[in-house]
């Protein structure tokens, strides 16, 4: 199931890239809306969240693909991520264990020890976390911009009202 999700995410990545490019171009051309900065922050938060989901979906599919490949067919043992272990460690290999959160693929040794298998999982975890953090920070920035505007309008409103004299 995650492999199908991965294929869908991989097809969505070019659409995401085109959407980001079009938005950046629309911000650069003259005649943009007066609240373009707030709109861009909100849009960026959404697109960063979408990117985090896409990257994580690709990682989930990758983990399931490696786990499936390790459990069926000729040449399935040792699992592909475990094949890069040093020869002495490879001789002690007893099995494997996929991890879906965080993304990873552990190679289990005879002594009960687990060794991390090779693969793009560390990079995918870091990218998903970075995009998620960017989404949260962008949403916080939207809140700060709104608060700044509200305070500025309140301050301008106080200056415009004449003071009563007694």
């Amino acid at each position: 199931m995650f492999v199908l999700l991965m294929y869908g995410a991989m097809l969505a990545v070019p659409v995401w890239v085109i959407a980001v490019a079009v938005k950046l171009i629309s911000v650069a051309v003259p005649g943009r809306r007066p609240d373009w900065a707030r709109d861009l922050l909100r849009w960026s938060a959404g697109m960063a969240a979408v990117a985090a989901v896409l990257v994580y979906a690709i990682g989930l599919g990758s983990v399931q693909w490696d786990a499936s490949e390790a459990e069926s067919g000729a040449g399935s043992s040792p699992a592909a991520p475990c094949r890069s272990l040093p020869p002495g460690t490879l001789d002690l290999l007893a099995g494997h264990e996929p991890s879906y959160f965080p993304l990873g693929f552990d190679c289990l040794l005879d002594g009960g020890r687990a060794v991390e298998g090779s693969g793009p999982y560390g990079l995918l975890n870091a990218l998903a976390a970075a995009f998620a953090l960017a989404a949260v920070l962008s949403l916080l920035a939207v809140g700060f911009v709104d608060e700044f505007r509200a305070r500025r309008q309140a301050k301008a409103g106080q200056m415009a009202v004449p003071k009563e004299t007694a």
Side-chain angles (χ1 to χ4, degrees), residues 23 27 32-47 135 137-150 152-153:
K23 185 65 171 186
V27 168
R32 55 187 175 251
R33 295 176 11 191
D35 65 340
W36 70 271
R38 183 182 186 280
D39 179 51
L40 182 63
L41 277 173
R42 285 183 57 230
W43 186 86
S44 297
M47 291 307 279
L137 291 176
S138 295
L139 283 178
L140 286 172
V142 168
F144 285 132
V145 166
D146 288 346
E147 180 67 22
F148 176 75
R149 284 185 180 169
R152 188 173 58 188
Q153 287 176 351

Side-chain angles (χ1 to χ4, degrees), residues 47-80:
M47 291 307 279
V50 167
V53 169
L54 288 175
V55 167
Y56 203 78
I58 290 170
L60 285 173
S62 236
V63 170
Q64 188 178 27
W65 180 277
D66 284 339
S68 177
E69 286 289 314
E71 295 170 2
S72 62
S76 62
S77 183

Side-chain angles (χ1 to χ4, degrees), residues 20-126:
V20 169
V22 167
K23 185 65 171 186
L24 290 176
I25 291 169
S26 74
V27 168
V29 296
R32 55 187 175 251
R33 295 176 11 191
D35 65 340
W36 70 271
R38 183 182 186 280
D39 179 51
L40 182 63
L41 277 173
R42 285 183 57 230
W43 186 86
S44 297
M47 291 307 279
V50 167
V53 169
L54 288 175
V55 167
Y56 203 78
I58 290 170
L60 285 173
S62 236
V63 170
Q64 188 178 27
W65 180 277
D66 284 339
S68 177
E69 286 289 314
E71 295 170 2
S72 62
S76 62
S77 183
C82 299
R83 290 181 187 156
S84 63
L85 295 176
T89 308
L90 193 56
D91 295 337
L92 301 173
L93 191 63
H96 64 275
E97 185 174 315
S99 171
Y100 295 101
F101 187 80
L103 299 171
F105 199 91
D106 291 335
C107 305
L108 304 175
L109 304 179
D110 282 335
R113 210 175 89 209
V115 178
E116 186 178 341
S118 65
Y121 308 118
L123 175 64
L124 292 173
N125 281 326

